[in-house]
Amino acid sequence: MAPGEQVPSVGLRGYRGRARGTISKIFCPKTSATFPLDLTKTRLQMQGEAALARLGDSARESAPYRGMVRTALGIVQEEGFLKLWQGVTPAIYRHVVYSGGRMVTYEHLREVVFGKSEDKHYPLWKSVIGGMMAGVVGQFLANPTDLVKVQMQMEGKRKLEGKPLRFRGVHHAFAKILSEGGIRGLWAGWVPNIQRAALVNMGDLTTYDTVKHYLVLNTPLEDNITTHGLSSLCSGLVASILGTPADVIKSRIMNQPRDKQGRGLLYKSSTDCLIQAVQGEGFMSLYKGFLPSWLRMTPWSLVFWLTYEKIREMSGVSPF
């Protein structure tokens, strides 16, 4: 099929079923390989958290700021090499749910709800809305796994600070959160989480879709691995720039201590967290962890899109 040609509905439905079944096989190794960067990013996002002073927590003053390399080395030296993968299991669960949910949603919106224009072109504004909606759906479904991932990533730091560990493992974490906060407890922090996902997907899906079709239509490049690679590199950078501030807010809200009713003790909302971070730490605090986030997002985006396009080709479906 030529780029932009409408996909037959039967073929697309069959492709979606096969794609969902292969996501975990493809991206589990990739998630595991880049997970130390994700852990480092989360630790950096928590450093110097100004709101902790309200609880009389002295960790903020006693711990000097570390960059990406020193943070990663510190984890290895203070907690052990394998702790770089603390929380990798819920991260894998998250990518299976999140990636499947967002891609199926985006393609359904693009092909069925919005549709292409008469010249088979997909307008930028439709791509932006579709990308944001796909991110919201995928991340809302995956929120419990993201919550457990973030909290498990901070367990090593709690141990170093002399605080009791919260979980014995991933399944104990799910069970404990469920028993203490009910079903709603598993969706703690879902508002900033879907805000982040909307921005990341607006950057990732929209940039990839727009750059790829621009290159195919306006340059000598064809719809091949070179075009896919260039488009994915652009999408990874834009997604990191747009998503990092919301990711910082999301991580802090998910990791904050809570009372017996499940209410956060540090932040009332994502807006409150944003204001406290900027007032207490400066605007650039919203970009803590940007470097490991970008270094992780770029190869992940590259592998995802190259593999995803290949799956479409093998399934007899037109290019994305």
Side-chain angles (χ1 to χ4, degrees), residues 85-119:
W85 282 268
Q86 180 92 10
V88 68
T89 301
I92 292 173
Y93 294 164
R94 174 192 177 271
H95 277 299
V96 171
V97 178
Y98 172 69
S99 296
R102 73 170 185 142
M103 295 310 300
V104 170
T105 301
Y106 184 78
E107 291 213 46
H108 179 77
L109 291 172
R110 187 178 67 168
E111 304 294 341
V112 179
V113 178
F114 292 140
K116 295 183 174 69
S117 58
E118 293 182 359
D119 61 355

Side-chain angles (χ1 to χ4, degrees), residues 102-103 106-107 110 122 124 127-128 131 200-216 222-239 298 300-310 312 318-320:
R102 73 170 185 142
M103 295 310 300
Y106 184 78
E107 291 213 46
R110 187 178 67 168
Y122 194 58
L124 177 61
S127 184
V128 169
V200 168
N201 277 271
M202 182 176 69
D204 185 26
L205 293 174
T206 302
T207 301
Y208 182 85
D209 205 2
T210 303
V211 171
K212 175 189 167 182
H213 288 95
Y214 176 84
L215 292 174
V216 171
E222 298 180 354
D223 195 341
N224 54 28
I225 191 171
T226 301
T227 303
H228 302 162
L230 291 173
S231 302
S232 64
L233 290 175
C234 293
S235 69
L237 176 60
V238 175
T298 298
W300 195 96
S301 181
L302 181 65
V303 171
F304 176 87
W305 286 113
L306 292 180
T307 308
Y308 191 68
E309 292 279 15
K310 190 63 177 179
R312 295 179 68 91
S318 64
F320 182 77

Side-chain angles (χ1 to χ4, degrees), residues 237-258:
L237 176 60
V238 175
S240 297
I241 293 173
L242 293 177
T244 296
D247 196 22
V248 172
I249 302 304
K250 178 266 295 186
S251 296
R252 291 187 173 191
I253 288 180
M254 284 187 162
N255 189 61
Q256 69 174 326
R258 298 180 179 275

Side-chain angles (χ1 to χ4, degrees), residues 18 69 76 137 151 173 176 198 220-221 248 267 284:
R18 287 191 293 272
V69 175
V76 174
V137 172
Q151 294 197 9
K176 184 176 180 181
L221 293 175
V248 172
Y267 311 111
M284 291 309 296

Side-chain angles (χ1 to χ4, degrees), residues 6 26 50 57 61 67 69 74 80 102 115 144 146 156 210 218 230 245 271 295:
Q6 186 70 30
I26 296 168
D57 197 320
E61 289 76 17
V69 175
R102 73 170 185 142
D146 215 3
T210 303
N218 298 281
L230 291 173
T271 302
L295 292 176

Side-chain angles (χ1 to χ4, degrees), residues 254-294:
M254 284 187 162
N255 189 61
Q256 69 174 326
R258 298 180 179 275
D259 60 20
K260 294 182 178 180
Q261 286 72 43
R263 293 173 298 193
L265 299 178
L266 297 179
Y267 311 111
K268 299 176 182 178
S269 64
S270 56
T271 302
D272 181 43
C273 183
L274 172 67
I275 292 173
Q276 289 196 52
V278 173
Q279 288 181 342
E281 305 163 53
F283 176 79
M284 291 309 296
S285 67
L286 299 177
Y287 279 89
K288 287 183 175 181
F290 171 78
L291 183 57
S293 177
W294 176 47

